[in-house]
């Protein structure tokens, strides 16, 4: 019976590992139209997300009609406050309450709202907004608490390139000052107190383009014998650029005493076309290779060298590509007319988890039968 008990514990452990893998979602912002004609209705977007078994969506514009469309779908929503609103919400608590009344209260809990990002990469796009981030976050958090909404966390989103100047070696990474001490440190303290997560936009494509020393296979999760980089300080070996960048963020948080904060990758992806002909690596093939490699890596549950549980959530940028125009990159996993762009399945639909659950149930029955026969 001891061997049977061990076998059962092993299966329980396998089930736990499978169900704790990173949540993989997508970002979505409302495009103007499909081919200049019919609008993409919120109901159509929600139905497509559900049909693709996507468990989470980041709404970059937090359109109330779109929030309503996801009611009763079991899809978790990540809402965003636009950068221009941040100073207003910071200076006026009643405006923060009004935003919550408009974007959260009418829908929660029928729509699963999990987190609100107050601002998106404000340090880069709206540097004058950055000093207002923490106060705006506090006002949104207090407004939620006043309405007894306790399961929606509040954070803000940073961009890797604007806060981490050097990603290698990851063990030596630190947040860039003065923003590190002035902006990020107090925000980390707020996240720790409120049990929230650190949100980061993380694009290996941009780092690959900025450094000739990074091989394309290292950025695309290709497994070659010599496709790695060693952190000589820690002895850790990195086999893909995504893990290296995530660990650089974790090391930067550790320097400030917050190494255990959950990390959510709010945006990542690889463009299928570039701004101009010079972006020779922005191709449909490489985009598919990156997404396939990323999804397989996240589903494996192996995490990163510095964080075995990995990041808690990752959002692919983006669900629907914009109308093809000169001078913009295309990132979408769907064409602008909502047809599939890639041949792979975005989600396994829980097939692995269900297989393990069925296997576990069968094994329990076998153990019980054998026990009764002894």
């Amino acid at each position: 019976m001891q061997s049977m008990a061990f076998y059962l514990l092993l299966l329980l452990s396998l089930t736990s590992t499978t169900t704790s893998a990173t949540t993989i979602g997508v970002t979505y912002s409302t495009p103007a139209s499909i081919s200049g004609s019919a609008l993409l209705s919120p109901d159509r977007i929600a139905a497509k997300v559900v049909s693709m078994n996507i468990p989470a969506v980041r709404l970059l514009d937090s359109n109330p009609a779109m929030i309503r469309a996801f009611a009763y779908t079991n899809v978790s929503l990540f809402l965003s406050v636009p950068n221009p609103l941040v100073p207003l919400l910071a200076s006026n608590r009643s405006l923060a309450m009004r935003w919550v009344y408009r974007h959260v209260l009418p829908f929660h809990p029928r729509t699963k709202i999990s987190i609100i990002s107050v601002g998106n990469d404000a340090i880069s796009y709206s540097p004058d907004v950055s000093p207002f981030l923490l106060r705006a976050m506090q006002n949104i958090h207090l407004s939620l608490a006043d309405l007894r909404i306790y399961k929606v966390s509040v954070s803000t989103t940073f961009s890797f390139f604007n806060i981490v100047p050097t990603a290698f070696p990851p063990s030596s990474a630190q947040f860039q000052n003065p923003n590190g001490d002035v902006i990020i440190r107090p925000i980390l303290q707020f996240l720790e107190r409120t049990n929230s997560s650190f949100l980061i936009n993380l694009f290996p494509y941009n780092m690959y383009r900025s450094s000739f020393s990074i091989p394309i296979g290292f950025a695309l999760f290709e497994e070659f014998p010599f496709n790695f980089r060693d952190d000589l300080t820690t002895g850790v070996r990195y086999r893909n650029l995504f893990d290296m960048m995530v660990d650089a963020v974790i090391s930067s948080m550790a320097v400030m005493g917050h190494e255990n904060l959950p990390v959510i990758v709010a945006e990542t992806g690889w463009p299928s076309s570039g701004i101009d002909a010079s972006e020779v690596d922005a191709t449909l093939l490489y985009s598919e290779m990156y997404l396939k490699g990323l999804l397989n890596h996240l589903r494996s549950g192996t995490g990163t060298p510095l964080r075995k549980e990995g990041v808690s959530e990752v959002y692919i940028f983006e669900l629907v590509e914009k109308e093809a125009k000169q001078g913009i990159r295309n990132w979408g996993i769907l064409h602008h007319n909502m047809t599939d762009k890639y041949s792979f399945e975005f989600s396994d639909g829980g097939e692995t988890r269900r297989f393990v659950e069925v296997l576990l149930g069968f094994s329990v029955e076998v153990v019980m039968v054998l026990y009764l026969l002894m």
Side-chain angles (χ1 to χ4, degrees):
M1 284 303 297
Q2 286 183 342
S3 61
M4 292 179 189
F6 174 78
Y7 178 57
L8 193 55
L9 286 172
L10 184 63
L11 286 168
L12 286 169
S13 174
L14 178 58
T15 302
S16 173
T17 300
T18 302
T19 57
S20 63
T22 300
T23 297
I24 306 169
V26 296
T27 71
Y28 179 78
S29 58
T30 307
S33 65
I34 303 175
S35 302
S37 56
L39 291 176
L40 286 169
S41 72
D43 288 340
R44 186 179 175 192
I45 292 295
K48 183 65 175 179
V49 167
V50 171
S51 71
M52 295 175 70
N53 297 307
I54 298 175
V57 175
R58 180 187 183 192
L59 297 179
L60 292 167
D61 47 15
S62 297
N63 179 354
M66 189 66 69
I67 300 171
R68 183 183 296 108
F70 282 97
Y72 305 110
T73 62
N74 208 36
V75 174
S76 178
L77 294 189
F78 171 156
L79 305 185
S80 303
V81 175
N83 288 338
L85 284 183
V86 171
L88 298 175
L89 301 185
S91 60
N92 193 323
R93 172 79 185 280
S94 64
L95 288 179
M97 179 66 81
R98 190 179 304 175
W99 191 93
V100 173
Y101 261 103
R102 176 172 168 78
H103 295 88
V104 180
L105 188 62
F107 315 110
H108 179 80
R110 295 180 298 278
T111 299
K112 289 177 60 178
I113 300 171
S114 62
I115 192 167
I116 298 170
S117 173
V118 179
N120 179 33
D121 190 14
I123 286 178
S124 172
Y125 292 110
S126 309
D128 294 340
V129 167
S130 299
F132 299 96
L133 284 172
L134 180 58
R135 175 57 64 182
M137 292 164 63
Q138 291 169 335
N139 284 344
I140 291 289
H141 176 74
L142 291 171
S143 298
L144 291 168
D146 287 347
L147 295 171
R148 297 185 178 181
I149 299 174
Y150 302 113
K151 293 186 178 181
V152 178
S153 59
V154 179
S155 187
T156 187
T157 304
F158 296 100
S159 176
F160 183 91
F161 268 87
N162 296 314
I163 62 171
V164 182
T166 304
F168 189 84
S171 60
S172 300
Q174 296 186 46
F175 292 127
Q176 188 169 31
N177 280 321
N179 288 324
D181 285 331
V182 176
I183 304 296
I184 300 176
R185 186 185 296 275
I187 286 177
L188 290 174
Q189 293 168 352
F190 169 84
L191 299 178
E192 194 83 62
R193 288 195 307 270
T194 59
N195 295 316
S196 192
S197 302
F198 188 80
L199 312 179
I200 187 79
N201 295 336
L202 191 151
F203 290 92
Y205 173 76
N206 293 335
M207 176 159 286
Y208 163 74
R209 290 189 70 229
S210 68
S211 175
F212 292 109
S213 65
I214 299 175
I216 185 69
F218 188 68
L220 296 176
F221 296 91
E222 289 191 296
E223 296 184 3
F224 294 139
F226 300 102
N227 201 36
F228 61 84
R229 296 188 74 175
D230 290 334
D231 186 331
L232 299 180
T233 303
T234 59
V236 168
R237 174 161 293 182
Y238 288 90
R239 295 195 175 276
N240 64 77
L241 186 53
F242 179 87
D243 282 356
M244 194 174 80
M245 294 172 74
V246 168
D247 277 1
V249 172
I250 292 169
S251 292
S252 299
M253 292 195 303
V255 170
M256 294 188 169
H258 299 279
E259 64 272 14
N260 295 321
L261 274 177
V263 174
I264 292 177
V265 176
E267 293 178 11
T268 191
W270 193 282
S272 57
S273 64
I275 294 175
D276 53 44
S278 68
E279 292 193 57
V280 294
D281 297 305
T283 68
L284 188 65
L285 173 62
Y286 285 164
S287 177
E288 184 169 4
M289 288 174 65
Y290 177 79
L291 293 176
K292 278 185 176 179
L294 176 67
L295 295 180
N296 290 336
H297 179 56
L298 295 175
R299 288 173 187 156
S300 72
T302 57
T304 71
L306 295 188
R307 182 166 290 184
K308 296 306 178 185
E309 68 273 23
V311 293
S312 57
E313 301 173 26
V314 170
Y315 290 83
I316 306 298
F317 185 81
E318 57 186 335
L319 179 64
V320 184
E321 70 179 25
K322 305 299 187 291
E323 293 271 11
K325 294 180 183 178
Q326 189 69 22
I328 67 168
R329 296 186 180 109
N330 281 318
W331 301 82
I333 62 173
L334 298 175
H335 293 293
H336 61 267
N337 62 1
M338 296 284 286
T339 57
D340 292 341
K341 190 172 175 181
Y342 302 105
S343 60
F344 65 88
E345 289 292 328
F346 179 83
S347 170
D348 65 1
E351 293 298 331
T352 302
R353 176 177 175 177
R354 284 194 291 272
F355 171 77
V356 173
E357 289 172 346
V358 170
L359 178 60
L360 178 61
F362 174 75
S363 299
V364 169
E365 291 181 6
V366 170
V367 170
M368 292 302 296
V369 169
L370 292 174
Y371 176 79
L372 293 173
L373 290 177
M374 292 180 66

